[in-house]
Amino acid sequence: MPEVILSPTPAMARAVQALHDSGAAAADSDVAALLTRFRDVAQVTLTDVRALSAHARTHTPAAPAAWVHDLVQGSTLLSVPARRVARLRDPALTKRLEKLEVARQNEEYVRMVRDITSKDVAKEHASSEIATFKASMGVGVNLLVSVATMFTAGWFCTKNGLGAGPTDVLPIIGGLAAAAATLLLETWLFVIRTARVDKHADKRDTKRTKPLKRNQQEQSDYSDLSRIHDHYD
């Protein structure tokens, strides 16, 4: 990393001499290396000046405090680090990051309303189960009544139409035939009604899950930040 370069000052020379006279270089290799860098030089770095100030205040407490602003007073600024040029962000990267932020906000919103939506879904599921149970009971009762009614009608019509006696089996056969025809008709109607209900339920579930799937797709497309930065860095 580029350093700030300064010219030496008399205050720096006095601090170096005091630090050298203190004998700290013999006990501390960092002090010895620092004194070497300040020996007969035409320029010093700001980092070395800060280190000199810290060591001087530590090892030469009797000398006047050598603060950085005191050491650099009268120094000439020889070099400064070049300013970093602001890098323009790629438009494609900006667009992807915006979509990522939108996906994150959608995910946060879903997490916030999760309790509310889960309660609504549970209530709707319970209501759907109750409605299904009622419908099934209705279908069963209707089937029993229809079969019993048509059996009675078939038995009555066969007996009176053919003039069968009390021990003749034809009325029973006529009643069973009418009951079987009724059972087939009710079964066919039940299948048609069930297909319509299932189709309606599928459409409703599709409308409900389509936005969630779209959000999940957006998150999967724009959630890999490492891939985005590796591509555009």
Side-chain angles (χ1 to χ4, degrees):
M1 182 177 179
E3 282 277 4
V4 176
I5 308 299
L6 304 170
S7 62
T9 64
M12 295 181 194
R14 290 193 296 269
V16 170
Q17 186 61 41
L19 191 59
H20 181 270
D21 295 340
S22 68
D28 193 336
S29 59
D30 292 339
V31 175
L34 181 64
L35 293 178
T36 301
R37 291 197 296 271
F38 271 92
R39 186 178 298 121
D40 299 329
V41 293
Q43 60 185 22
V44 294
T45 63
L46 182 58
T47 301
D48 287 342
V49 174
R50 290 172 176 169
L52 176 62
S53 174
H55 286 301
R57 286 182 280 112
T58 301
H59 299 291
T60 59
W67 297 99
V68 175
H69 66 275
D70 295 325
L71 296 177
V72 300
Q73 188 173 4
S75 178
T76 302
L77 186 62
L78 302 179
S79 175
V80 294
R83 289 187 178 181
R84 187 175 181 179
V85 179
R87 182 180 178 183
L88 297 178
R89 181 170 291 182
D90 192 283
L93 175 60
T94 303
K95 186 177 180 179
R96 286 204 170 193
L97 291 178
E98 289 176 354
K99 291 186 177 180
L100 178 63
E101 178 64 19
V102 171
R104 186 194 65 80
Q105 292 177 359
N106 291 337
E107 183 180 359
E108 184 177 357
Y109 173 76
V110 171
R111 186 169 58 252
M112 290 172 59
V113 300
R114 182 177 300 167
D115 294 337
I116 300 174
T117 54
S118 61
K119 291 180 181 179
D120 293 340
V121 171
K123 185 183 296 184
E124 183 177 351
H125 183 67
S127 301
S128 178
E129 288 185 350
I130 294 174
T132 303
F133 176 75
K134 290 181 178 180
S136 300
M137 288 293 295
V139 170
V141 172
N142 179 64
L143 183 61
L144 290 176
V145 172
S146 299
V147 170
T149 301
M150 293 305 296
F151 175 83
T152 303
W155 177 84
F156 181 80
C157 292
T158 303
K159 181 179 179 181
N160 291 291
L162 299 177
T167 60
D168 202 341
V169 296
L170 289 178
I172 297 177
I173 295 175
L176 291 176
T182 303
L183 181 61
L184 291 176
L185 179 62
E186 290 290 342
T187 303
W188 181 61
L189 294 176
F190 175 76
V191 170
I192 294 177
R193 286 195 297 266
T194 303
R196 289 180 179 178
V197 171
D198 291 341
K199 186 176 181 180
H200 178 71
D202 292 340
K203 288 183 178 180
R204 181 185 59 193
D205 293 339
T206 302
K207 289 181 179 180
R208 181 181 300 168
T209 58
K210 189 174 181 179
L212 295 177
K213 290 182 178 179
R214 184 171 61 250
N215 291 339
Q216 292 175 356
Q217 182 65 30
E218 290 179 354
Q219 292 175 7
S220 63
D221 291 341
Y222 302 103
S223 60
D224 194 350
L225 280 175
S226 60
R227 183 178 60 187
I228 294 175
H229 290 302
D230 290 342
H231 181 73
Y232 290 103
D233 284 347

